[in-house]
Amino acid sequence: MTQTLGKNQDRISRRQVDKFAQRRAQLAASALQTLSELGYARTSMREIAQNSEFSHGVLHYYFRDKVELITFCVRQYKAECVTRYDQIVVTAGTAEELKEGFAEAMAGTLREDAPMHRLWYDLRNQSLFEESFREDVLAIDQSLERMIWRIVGLYAELAGGAPAVPSPTAYAVFDGVFQQALLGHLGGRESAADDLRTSVTLLLEQLVPSA
């Protein structure tokens, strides 16, 4: 009887945890649009509440402060991004397919998700000054580096070559090229996405020179 009661309490507790997590994800998705439009410095919890269907009090119940909300939002979005690229790794059968798929995915996310990427770079820059962001930013950055390295590693395997640089360098190169393209896109350069696609293709070829 005691064991049954304990199991029931565990199930109830897990359901409560799941509901809490789902609600946080819901709130983050609603807040993300406002955050991506205004950026960190210009956005307050009250501003987020005014631009969503949730009250200021509800936001504060699920998130301690703006820092926790923003880092949760960016973590959630970047985790989805990593999953998209992992799908390319799973489906690519040749080096050419991988190269084209990766380049197209990078160009596509630049066109479709520029405000979200802008928020990520804003948060990463803020972490240089605000220690409260640093741990989360480093964790997100490492997940993105691992994602890039999976692409580079598989490309090398499929092409019969070997990466010419270590993982941190490969990530830094792709990240730098993407950030430049993002700046051009936000500045109205119509060719930014196409230029990025071309750059990503060339980079993969150069990072695996013996391919």
Side-chain angles (χ1 to χ4, degrees):
M1 180 71 174
T2 305
Q3 287 180 340
T4 302
L5 181 60
K7 288 179 181 178
N8 287 338
Q9 287 175 335
D10 285 344
R11 279 197 294 270
I12 292 169
S13 179
R14 281 197 298 273
R15 280 202 299 271
Q16 289 172 336
V17 169
D18 289 343
K19 283 182 179 179
F20 187 82
Q22 288 169 6
R23 189 64 162 166
R24 275 166 65 92
Q26 210 178 15
L27 288 166
S30 177
L32 200 51
Q33 189 62 40
T34 302
L35 286 165
S36 63
E37 288 174 1
L38 299 180
Y40 168 76
R42 295 168 56 202
T43 307
S44 66
M45 292 286 272
R46 195 167 297 282
E47 184 84 30
I48 293 167
Q50 287 172 353
N51 286 280
S52 74
E53 64 272 34
F54 303 105
S55 70
H56 187 239
V58 168
L59 282 176
H60 267 295
Y61 177 77
Y62 285 93
F63 296 98
R64 183 175 59 254
D65 52 26
K66 184 174 75 167
V67 170
E68 186 178 23
L69 174 58
I70 290 175
T71 51
F72 184 91
C73 286
V74 175
R75 265 184 178 275
Q76 184 168 281
Y77 173 70
K78 285 298 183 183
E80 292 171 5
C81 283
V82 169
T83 302
R84 291 180 211 165
Y85 289 107
D86 283 345
Q87 189 62 29
I88 296 169
V89 170
V90 170
T91 57
T94 66
E96 194 64 25
E97 284 179 3
L98 179 65
K99 182 171 61 178
E100 290 179 1
F102 181 47
E104 182 53 46
M106 290 277 272
T109 195
L110 178 70
R111 286 190 301 263
E112 297 163 15
D113 302 321
M116 306 304 180
H117 294 298
R118 177 174 60 185
L119 177 61
W120 157 242
Y121 286 115
D122 186 16
L123 180 62
R124 194 166 74 174
N125 287 337
Q126 289 294 330
S127 73
L128 298 174
F129 301 95
E130 296 198 30
E131 193 174 345
S132 54
F133 283 128
R134 207 160 295 154
E135 184 178 349
D136 288 290
V137 164
L138 286 172
I140 295 168
D141 219 39
Q142 287 165 3
S143 72
L144 295 173
E145 181 186 326
R146 288 192 297 269
M147 178 269 290
I148 291 293
W149 193 241
R150 284 194 292 273
I151 296 285
V152 173
L154 181 59
Y155 180 75
E157 181 183 328
L158 292 172
V165 297
S167 175
T169 305
Y171 172 55
V173 171
F174 279 109
D175 181 64
V177 167
F178 186 86
Q179 190 172 13
Q180 282 187 329
L182 178 63
L183 185 59
H185 177 76
L186 294 172
R189 196 174 83 235
E190 293 183 3
S191 64
D194 290 334
D195 292 344
L196 175 62
R197 186 191 298 107
T198 301
S199 295
V200 168
T201 299
L202 292 173
L203 275 176
L204 266 181
E205 293 170 353
Q206 291 168 359
L207 290 175
V208 188
S210 59

